[in-house]
Amino acid sequence: MLNTKVAELLNDQINKELYSAYLYLDFAIYYEEQALKGFANWYFVQAQEERDHAMLFLKYLQNNGCKVSLGAVAKPDKELKEYADPLKAGYEHEQYVTGLIHNIYEAAHEVKDFRTMQFLDWFVKEQGEEETNAEDMVKKFELYGFDARALYMLDSELGGRVYSAPSLVL
Ligand code: FEO
């Protein structure tokens, strides 16, 4: 069994990851409506990765004999008015998620829960990658997003993103 506070935070993280999936689906829907299908594809894939993250937390809790309890997933509430809005909101959101992961890590560290720390190592690294990817999206849009031809090419590039299952298997 895990420490109660650590288990609670891990359980909450299932909800946060499912919210992330929901948020990125909202972004994908926005881009579909704008006929930017490559951007939409990028966020559909991202949403799938977030669902995977939720499943990893769920399985980790179950593998450790902990009760899993699912809460309501909040409605995505970011205002999407311009093409750049989802990109900026996505970058901010990933920084927030990194903070959540670090918070769980800290709680595990406090009670010498080395197993959970090891489990979270994958997420610490993953968040580094996700923040970099999200920041790259913002930078690319600032560079190319305001020229129609460049935007077309960027959209084509993002359309090439393919889903791959997480490297962490529980
Ligand atoms: Fe599951 Fe994008 O953090």
Side-chain angles (χ1 to χ4, degrees), residues 13 16-17 20 24 46 49-50 53-54 57 93-94 97-98 101 123 126-127 130:
Q13 195 62 28
K16 306 288 187 199
E17 299 291 345
S20 301
Y24 294 142
Q46 191 60 33
E49 285 199 0
E50 298 300 351
H53 295 169
F57 282 100
H93 183 70
E94 285 306 328
V97 174
T98 297
I101 299 288
F123 285 93
E126 175 76 3
Q127 279 312 120
E130 297 218 328

Short mmCIF file of all heavy atoms in Angstrom, two decimals, residues 13 16-17 20 24 46 49-50 53-54 57 93-94 97-98 101 123 126-127 130, ligand 1:
data_model
loop_
_atom_site.label_atom_id
_atom_site.label_comp_id
_atom_site.label_asym_id
_atom_site.label_seq_id
_atom_site.Cartn_x
_atom_site.Cartn_y
_atom_site.Cartn_z
N GLN A 13 -4.30 12.80 -10.17
CA GLN A 13 -3.58 13.00 -11.43
C GLN A 13 -4.29 12.30 -12.59
O GLN A 13 -4.21 12.76 -13.73
CB GLN A 13 -2.12 12.53 -11.30
CG GLN A 13 -1.21 13.01 -12.42
CD GLN A 13 -1.09 14.54 -12.49
OE1 GLN A 13 -1.23 15.22 -11.50
NE2 GLN A 13 -0.84 15.05 -13.68
N LYS A 16 -6.54 14.89 -13.80
CA LYS A 16 -5.82 15.99 -14.48
C LYS A 16 -5.39 15.57 -15.89
O LYS A 16 -5.42 16.37 -16.82
CB LYS A 16 -4.57 16.40 -13.70
CG LYS A 16 -4.82 16.74 -12.26
CD LYS A 16 -5.53 18.07 -12.08
CE LYS A 16 -5.59 18.45 -10.61
NZ LYS A 16 -6.62 19.44 -10.33
N GLU A 17 -4.97 14.31 -16.02
CA GLU A 17 -4.54 13.84 -17.34
C GLU A 17 -5.74 13.70 -18.28
O GLU A 17 -5.64 14.01 -19.46
CB GLU A 17 -3.80 12.50 -17.21
CG GLU A 17 -2.53 12.54 -16.35
CD GLU A 17 -1.38 13.33 -16.97
OE1 GLU A 17 -1.42 13.62 -18.18
OE2 GLU A 17 -0.45 13.66 -16.22
N SER A 20 -6.52 17.01 -19.43
CA SER A 20 -5.57 17.41 -20.48
C SER A 20 -6.04 16.84 -21.82
O SER A 20 -6.02 17.53 -22.84
CB SER A 20 -4.16 16.90 -20.17
OG SER A 20 -3.70 17.40 -18.95
N TYR A 24 -7.11 19.08 -25.05
CA TYR A 24 -6.49 18.97 -26.36
C TYR A 24 -7.50 18.53 -27.44
O TYR A 24 -7.36 18.90 -28.60
CB TYR A 24 -5.27 18.04 -26.30
CG TYR A 24 -4.16 18.64 -25.44
CD1 TYR A 24 -3.38 17.86 -24.60
CD2 TYR A 24 -3.93 20.01 -25.45
CE1 TYR A 24 -2.39 18.43 -23.81
CE2 TYR A 24 -2.96 20.60 -24.66
CZ TYR A 24 -2.19 19.80 -23.84
OH TYR A 24 -1.22 20.37 -23.05
N GLN A 46 -2.05 14.30 -29.37
CA GLN A 46 -1.70 14.71 -28.01
C GLN A 46 -2.76 14.26 -27.00
O GLN A 46 -2.44 13.80 -25.90
CB GLN A 46 -1.51 16.24 -27.97
CG GLN A 46 -0.90 16.75 -26.67
CD GLN A 46 0.49 16.19 -26.40
OE1 GLN A 46 1.26 15.93 -27.32
NE2 GLN A 46 0.80 15.96 -25.13
N GLU A 49 -2.25 10.71 -26.16
CA GLU A 49 -1.13 10.53 -25.22
C GLU A 49 -1.54 10.84 -23.80
O GLU A 49 -1.12 10.18 -22.85
CB GLU A 49 0.05 11.43 -25.61
CG GLU A 49 0.80 10.93 -26.82
CD GLU A 49 2.21 11.53 -26.94
OE1 GLU A 49 2.60 12.35 -26.07
OE2 GLU A 49 2.90 11.19 -27.90
N GLU A 50 -2.38 11.86 -23.65
CA GLU A 50 -2.84 12.24 -22.30
C GLU A 50 -3.71 11.14 -21.69
O GLU A 50 -3.64 10.87 -20.51
CB GLU A 50 -3.60 13.57 -22.34
CG GLU A 50 -2.79 14.74 -22.81
CD GLU A 50 -1.55 15.03 -21.96
OE1 GLU A 50 -1.38 14.44 -20.89
OE2 GLU A 50 -0.74 15.86 -22.39
N HIS A 53 -1.48 8.65 -20.34
CA HIS A 53 -0.92 9.06 -19.05
C HIS A 53 -1.89 8.72 -17.92
O HIS A 53 -1.50 8.19 -16.88
CB HIS A 53 -0.61 10.56 -19.03
CG HIS A 53 0.45 10.99 -20.00
ND1 HIS A 53 0.72 12.30 -20.30
CD2 HIS A 53 1.32 10.26 -20.75
CE1 HIS A 53 1.70 12.36 -21.19
NE2 HIS A 53 2.08 11.14 -21.49
N ALA A 54 -3.16 9.05 -18.16
CA ALA A 54 -4.19 8.76 -17.14
C ALA A 54 -4.21 7.26 -16.82
O ALA A 54 -4.26 6.85 -15.66
CB ALA A 54 -5.56 9.21 -17.63
N PHE A 57 -1.33 6.14 -14.53
CA PHE A 57 -1.56 6.43 -13.11
C PHE A 57 -2.58 5.44 -12.53
O PHE A 57 -2.40 4.95 -11.42
CB PHE A 57 -2.03 7.88 -12.93
CG PHE A 57 -0.90 8.86 -13.01
CD1 PHE A 57 -0.67 9.58 -14.18
CD2 PHE A 57 -0.04 9.04 -11.94
CE1 PHE A 57 0.39 10.47 -14.26
CE2 PHE A 57 1.03 9.93 -12.01
CZ PHE A 57 1.25 10.64 -13.18
N HIS A 93 -0.45 25.15 -20.02
CA HIS A 93 -1.03 23.98 -19.37
C HIS A 93 0.04 22.93 -19.06
O HIS A 93 0.04 22.33 -17.98
CB HIS A 93 -2.13 23.37 -20.24
CG HIS A 93 -2.82 22.21 -19.59
ND1 HIS A 93 -3.65 22.37 -18.51
CD2 HIS A 93 -2.76 20.88 -19.84
CE1 HIS A 93 -4.08 21.18 -18.12
NE2 HIS A 93 -3.56 20.26 -18.91
N GLU A 94 0.96 22.73 -19.97
CA GLU A 94 2.02 21.74 -19.72
C GLU A 94 2.93 22.17 -18.57
O GLU A 94 3.38 21.33 -17.79
CB GLU A 94 2.84 21.49 -20.99
CG GLU A 94 2.12 20.63 -22.02
CD GLU A 94 1.61 19.29 -21.48
OE1 GLU A 94 2.24 18.70 -20.58
OE2 GLU A 94 0.55 18.85 -21.95
N VAL A 97 1.07 21.22 -15.54
CA VAL A 97 1.12 19.76 -15.29
C VAL A 97 2.49 19.36 -14.73
O VAL A 97 2.58 18.52 -13.83
CB VAL A 97 0.78 18.96 -16.58
CG1 VAL A 97 0.98 17.47 -16.37
CG2 VAL A 97 -0.66 19.23 -17.00
N THR A 98 3.54 19.97 -15.23
CA THR A 98 4.87 19.69 -14.68
C THR A 98 4.88 19.98 -13.18
O THR A 98 5.40 19.19 -12.38
CB THR A 98 5.94 20.56 -15.39
OG1 THR A 98 5.97 20.19 -16.77
CG2 THR A 98 7.32 20.36 -14.79
N ILE A 101 3.19 17.14 -11.30
CA ILE A 101 4.04 15.95 -11.22
C ILE A 101 5.12 16.16 -10.14
O ILE A 101 5.39 15.28 -9.31
CB ILE A 101 4.71 15.64 -12.59
CG1 ILE A 101 3.65 15.36 -13.68
CG2 ILE A 101 5.72 14.49 -12.48
CD1 ILE A 101 2.89 14.06 -13.58
N PHE A 123 7.61 10.37 -15.94
CA PHE A 123 6.76 11.55 -16.17
C PHE A 123 7.56 12.85 -16.08
O PHE A 123 7.26 13.81 -16.79
CB PHE A 123 5.60 11.57 -15.17
CG PHE A 123 4.52 10.57 -15.51
CD1 PHE A 123 4.54 9.30 -14.96
CD2 PHE A 123 3.51 10.90 -16.39
CE1 PHE A 123 3.57 8.37 -15.29
CE2 PHE A 123 2.52 9.98 -16.73
CZ PHE A 123 2.57 8.70 -16.18
N GLU A 126 9.12 13.03 -19.39
CA GLU A 126 8.05 13.26 -20.38
C GLU A 126 7.59 14.72 -20.35
O GLU A 126 7.38 15.34 -21.39
CB GLU A 126 6.87 12.32 -20.07
CG GLU A 126 5.63 12.49 -20.92
CD GLU A 126 5.76 11.92 -22.33
OE1 GLU A 126 6.81 11.33 -22.63
OE2 GLU A 126 4.81 12.09 -23.12
N GLN A 127 7.46 15.27 -19.14
CA GLN A 127 7.02 16.67 -19.04
C GLN A 127 8.05 17.61 -19.65
O GLN A 127 7.69 18.63 -20.25
CB GLN A 127 6.74 17.05 -17.59
CG GLN A 127 5.38 16.60 -17.09
CD GLN A 127 4.25 16.96 -18.04
OE1 GLN A 127 3.54 16.10 -18.52
NE2 GLN A 127 4.07 18.25 -18.32
N GLU A 130 7.34 17.41 -23.26
CA GLU A 130 6.06 18.04 -23.62
C GLU A 130 6.13 19.56 -23.55
O GLU A 130 5.55 20.24 -24.38
CB GLU A 130 4.94 17.50 -22.73
CG GLU A 130 4.74 16.03 -22.93
CD GLU A 130 3.30 15.58 -22.90
OE1 GLU A 130 2.50 16.19 -22.17
OE2 GLU A 130 2.98 14.61 -23.61
FE1 FEO B 1 0.22 14.26 -19.43
FE2 FEO B 1 0.86 16.65 -21.26
O1 FEO B 1 0.99 15.86 -19.59
#
